[in-house]
Amino acid sequence: MTLSGLASLASALVITTALAANAQTTLTIDVDHPAGKVSPTLYGLMTEEINHSYDGGLYAELVQNRALMDDPAGPAHWSLVQGDGALATMSLDHAVPLNDVLTNSLRLDAVTVSESRSAGVANDGYWGVPVKPHTKYRASFYAKASDEFTGPVTVSLESADGSETFARAKVRRVGSEWKRFTVTLKTGSAAATANGRLVLSVNHPGTIWFDVASLFPPTWRNRPNGNRMDIMQLLSDMRPAFLRFPGGNYVEGDTLETRFDWKKTIGPIERRPGHACCWGYRSSDGMGLLEFLEWCEDLKMEPALAVYAGYNLNHSHIDAGPALEPFVQDALDEIEYVTGDVSTKWGAERARDGHRAPFPLRYVEIGNEDWFDQSGSYDGRFAQFFDAIKAKYPNLKCISTIGTEHPEGQRIKTRKPDVLDEHYYSSAATYEKEAPERFDTYDRKGPEIFVGEWAAYEDVKPWERESRGLPPTPTLKAALADAAWMTGMERNSDLVVMQCYAPMFVNVNPGARQWRPNLIGYNGLTSFGSPSYYAIQMFSRNHGDTILKTSASDSARLLEGATLDAKSGVVFVKLVNRDARANRVAIHLRGVRSVEPEGTAVTLSGVAPDALNTVDSPTRVAPVATQISGVKADFDYTAPPYSVTVLRLHCKL
Ligand code: AHR
């Protein structure tokens, strides 16, 4: 090749590179042609006990197996601590129960102990007891002692090997009857550790029995049986409109006995037996029905209550008819506990539990994913619940768990559900393909749609074994697909009235999780939002009230949506650029009288699709807000590579 040939090849390469660096798309937004109302409840949360969501997660209790019910064979998570020369034994005692519900206790026989040689029991928490500096912890426990025991019990927060004590307090006297003791433990300036332990120790000989040993750090709104502050803050920042609880599979249970039996989850924690949860570990039920409701109250979320509907994950079911009646009554009682005033039996029970005022309730979901019930019993079961609920609570909307993503033959035929709950766990590629039209063709006469579980996975299905080796939370690639999917739900939110990502939580410690991807990750000390968390937060905080019609010249490159806040005239434009190249978008706002030249761009982007957040790098992929200028009815905005953008444009209509 000649020199001039080389030169022209070089300039051709430059031109090609320049073109590759910037894709171009045209986006037209019809601001003066509303295409429907944005559902005010579109952005919400879904929760259940999975991946240690509550125990070892949101629920702030730091002691694992506090009620000694986790393993009948021994005191799991408790160990014997013996100072130099001390002699003691520890055992699980079935013969000295705390009460008729908590039928085991922890027995400590202190044989050779003295002022300088103490012995005790230590709890290792959930992957360690996290201890932070300058923090007040509330410790409590039940204890009783043999007659010869005369000494105090020392409560201490220590490092895992006992070499360091962070805080200590004493209970002077333990009698021969069960009694509850509480102490405050205040830490000093020692650095935070995720790996501490709680120790109850003695230095006088005798036998002491312990039960319901509990340790709480400061909680959100200072609730006594409350939630972790950092995780609540992450949720609050999402501004969720509702909470779907308590499942998911958790409401069904593997068997009838292990369903979410709400009556066993209320009242004092020492009256809650806990139960084997369907995700392979035992739930303390410290997060019980009232705690779910108070969680809603604290974040101003509307409860979306799922009731047990006679189907278990082992594929057993209870036929509609008399056998199902007690479970229908249980659901009615549950609704009364939530909504009844103190003149009702269950409203009064709620008041006794500490919450006099009823909670609001509009939606009740009957079961969960009943398409798994191949017996065909759901139609009859749904009808029985539906009729009983409507007879007593005509204003409640009943949600069917079988939606239009399942064959016609499986759906409810004998009643018209108010709402259908549809679940979509799909690959990023499927989401991006289906986002532009998935809900566009649905019958506007209803039922309303609740996308009660959804999440994009990158490649490996969430429930497959290989997913265990992958990071617990989604990458930017998944977040881009999630954002694309949300543009479709928001554009159809005249019909898609509620939606929520699932699962919401994961404890990132080894062995803690059963599923991926999950929205929010944490260990004992700290928590973080995934890129998908931030994408949802951006949408949820910028949804307006009116859907606008949009058209883009190249939907393979750009997925988009637009809404308007009719009162303020703010137009929210959502742009999802999945490309490695920036995309210069020529935006045309049709039907506006004028536009303020200054607007805001909130952008979530990363260097590569596999970028993600972790406990050590919690905000590697996080939204950045910038002022943009030169905004007009026709203007260009360049969306960065691999990005989700929300533009806020101030228009006069
Ligand atoms: O979100 C995890 C599980 O996926 C839910 O418990 C269940 O409803 C669905 O199959």
Side-chain angles (χ1 to χ4, degrees):
M1 188 180 286
T2 62
L3 269 181
S4 69
L6 267 178
S8 59
L9 177 63
S11 69
L13 277 175
V14 168
I15 291 166
T16 317
T17 317
L19 280 179
N22 241 351
Q24 292 208 343
T25 309
T26 302
L27 169 62
T28 305
I29 303 170
D30 288 331
V31 183
D32 58 346
H33 284 113
K37 289 274 162 221
V38 176
S39 166
T41 51
L42 182 60
Y43 293 95
L45 302 176
M46 187 272 166
T47 184
E48 67 174 313
E49 183 58 281
I50 183 174
N51 304 319
H52 286 271
S53 288
Y54 317 136
D55 288 351
L58 178 70
Y59 178 53
E61 172 66 83
L62 298 177
V63 173
Q64 184 160 193
N65 193 21
R66 67 182 174 199
L68 284 313
M69 299 293 280
D70 282 10
D71 183 355
H77 295 283
W78 290 93
S79 60
L80 183 65
V81 176
Q82 295 173 98
D84 270 350
L87 187 63
T89 59
M90 175 192 81
S91 58
L92 186 67
D93 198 336
H94 307 287
V96 184
L98 176 64
N99 54 41
D100 58 330
V101 174
L102 302 187
T103 50
N104 303 323
S105 62
L106 183 60
R107 174 179 172 141
L108 174 69
D109 287 292
V111 182
T112 313
V113 287
S114 65
E115 282 307 321
S116 57
R117 292 179 300 178
S118 61
V121 289
N123 188 274
D124 62 5
Y126 295 93
W127 294 270
V129 171
V131 186
K132 294 184 181 174
H134 304 295
T135 304
K136 264 193 200 165
Y137 293 82
R138 276 173 289 146
S140 62
F141 60 93
Y142 280 83
K144 65 178 264 180
S146 60
D147 290 341
E148 74 268 28
F149 180 74
T150 54
V153 172
T154 301
V155 186
S156 50
L157 271 177
E158 302 178 359
S159 57
D161 62 3
S163 60
E164 218 177 331
T165 299
F166 304 113
R168 180 183 284 140
K170 266 193 178 133
V171 164
R172 296 258 150 248
R173 188 111 187 90
V174 175
S176 59
E177 297 297 325
W178 282 112
K179 186 174 166 205
R180 182 165 182 259
F181 300 92
T182 55
V183 295
T184 300
L185 296 168
K186 175 125 180 33
T187 57
S189 54
T193 173
N195 200 17
R197 66 183 190 184
L198 176 76
V199 179
L200 305 173
S201 60
V202 297
N203 48 21
H204 285 68
T207 303
I208 308 103
W209 290 267
F210 297 106
D211 213 332
V212 198
S214 164
L215 179 70
F216 274 85
T219 55
W220 186 263
R221 292 192 64 198
N222 213 16
R223 286 207 187 266
N225 191 41
N227 293 336
R228 249 173 84 161
M229 306 250 250
D230 57 334
I231 302 179
M232 284 295 271
Q233 187 61 57
L234 283 169
L235 300 180
S236 169
D237 291 346
M238 293 177 84
R239 302 205 191 135
F242 68 88
L243 180 70
R244 174 178 177 239
F245 68 88
N249 288 161
Y250 187 56
V251 73
E252 304 162 279
D254 282 330
T255 61
L256 175 63
E257 292 69 35
T258 57
R259 71 194 186 280
F260 184 80
D261 193 353
W262 73 270
K263 286 176 183 161
K264 294 184 179 158
T265 74
I266 56 171
I269 57 170
E270 61 273 18
R271 301 286 316 161
R272 301 186 196 181
H275 73 285
C277 110
C278 59
W279 294 105
Y281 55 96
R282 204 176 156 87
S283 165
S284 71
D285 287 332
M287 176 67 80
L289 178 59
L290 184 59
E291 285 76 18
F292 281 111
L293 294 165
E294 289 177 337
W295 173 9
C296 289
E297 183 172 77
D298 286 351
L299 296 186
K300 300 189 174 51
M301 303 181 289
E302 176 175 346
L305 177 71
V307 297
Y308 173 76
Y311 178 72
N312 310 107
L313 296 166
N314 65 0
H315 303 297
S316 59
H317 75 270
I318 300 158
D319 277 325
L324 193 62
E325 208 38 50
F327 301 96
V328 174
Q329 188 56 50
D330 245 14
L332 293 176
D333 294 347
E334 189 170 6
I335 295 167
E336 189 174 284
Y337 186 90
V338 178
T339 64
D341 64 32
V342 292
S343 69
T344 64
K345 176 175 174 207
W346 289 102
E349 185 79 24
R350 185 198 60 241
R352 272 194 294 281
D353 291 343
H355 202 285
R356 202 178 153 76
F359 294 90
L361 185 69
R362 288 192 301 158
Y363 292 97
V364 174
E365 178 149 14
I366 298 172
N368 177 62
E369 293 191 339
D370 286 84
W371 70 80
F372 278 112
D373 176 6
Q374 295 295 316
S375 73
S377 76
Y378 188 52
D379 198 18
R381 290 188 287 113
F382 181 88
Q384 197 169 335
F385 278 86
F386 181 93
D387 292 351
I389 292 172
K390 291 282 182 185
K392 192 160 179 208
Y393 301 100
N395 294 330
L396 283 183
K397 293 190 175 190
C398 292
I399 304 173
S400 156
T401 72
I402 303 185
T404 59
E405 81 279 37
H406 296 288
E408 179 76 48
Q410 279 201 296
R411 292 183 227 153
I412 297 298
K413 289 174 271 306
T414 58
R415 301 290 180 280
K416 185 174 183 213
D418 302 296
V419 186
L420 304 181
D421 178 3
E422 304 193 347
H423 293 180
Y424 296 94
Y425 294 106
S426 305
S427 68
T430 306
Y431 263 14
E432 285 162 358
K433 194 160 111 261
E434 293 195 354
E437 74 245 3
R438 167 79 220 181
F439 303 102
D440 291 3
T441 52
Y442 276 44
D443 186 348
R444 263 40 203 178
K445 288 201 293 293
E448 293 174 343
I449 301 298
F450 176 18
V451 184
E453 292 181 31
W454 64 269
Y457 55 83
E458 296 85 351
D459 300 300
V460 183
K461 294 193 176 71
W463 48 89
E464 281 176 358
R465 186 147 274 284
E466 306 86 85
S467 80
R468 311 266 164 90
L470 299 172
T473 51
T475 59
L476 178 59
K477 175 179 172 175
L480 295 173
D482 290 333
W485 182 245
M486 281 189 288
T487 62
M489 291 192 286
E490 194 174 85
R491 193 178 48 255
N492 285 282
S493 66
D494 57 319
L495 186 77
V496 179
V497 289
M498 305 194 291
Q499 57 79 20
C500 40
Y501 186 103
M504 180 155 64
F505 292 139
V506 63
N507 183 315
V508 301
N509 278 297
R513 79 163 128 120
Q514 295 78 45
W515 190 279
R516 90 163 293 278
N518 307 287
L519 201 60
I520 291 172
Y522 43 79
N523 60 17
L525 280 180
T526 182
S527 52
F528 65 95
S530 64
S532 299
Y533 162 86
Y534 284 115
I536 296 172
Q537 190 200 85
M538 286 163 63
F539 275 57
S540 173
R541 291 165 72 134
N542 295 286
H543 62 66
D545 53 25
T546 308
I547 304 164
L548 300 178
K549 193 165 163 296
T550 59
S551 53
S553 61
D554 187 351
S555 57
R557 289 210 189 294
L558 183 82
L559 286 157
E560 90 293 345
T563 53
L564 165 75
D565 180 58
K567 204 159 151 223
S568 64
V570 174
V571 171
F572 303 96
V573 184
K574 277 117 189 177
L575 306 170
V576 184
N577 180 19
R578 297 157 292 151
D579 211 296
R581 297 175 298 168
N583 191 336
R584 205 167 95 221
V585 187
I587 299 179
H588 304 292
L589 298 164
R590 294 282 168 259
V592 294
R593 277 199 290 133
S594 64
V595 187
E596 280 180 29
E598 300 275 302
T600 308
V602 185
T603 310
L604 182 76
S605 64
V607 285
D610 61 359
L612 46 73
N613 296 332
T614 62
V615 277
D616 296 323
S617 298
T619 52
R620 198 186 282 136
V621 185
V624 176
T626 49
Q627 289 292 108
I628 52 169
S629 48
V631 179
K632 298 181 283 190
D634 302 288
F635 74 106
D636 286 358
Y637 175 79
T638 299
Y642 305 123
S643 66
V644 181
T645 303
V646 175
L647 299 178
R648 282 197 292 261
L649 311 173
H650 302 266
C651 301
K652 284 216 165 58
L653 309 183

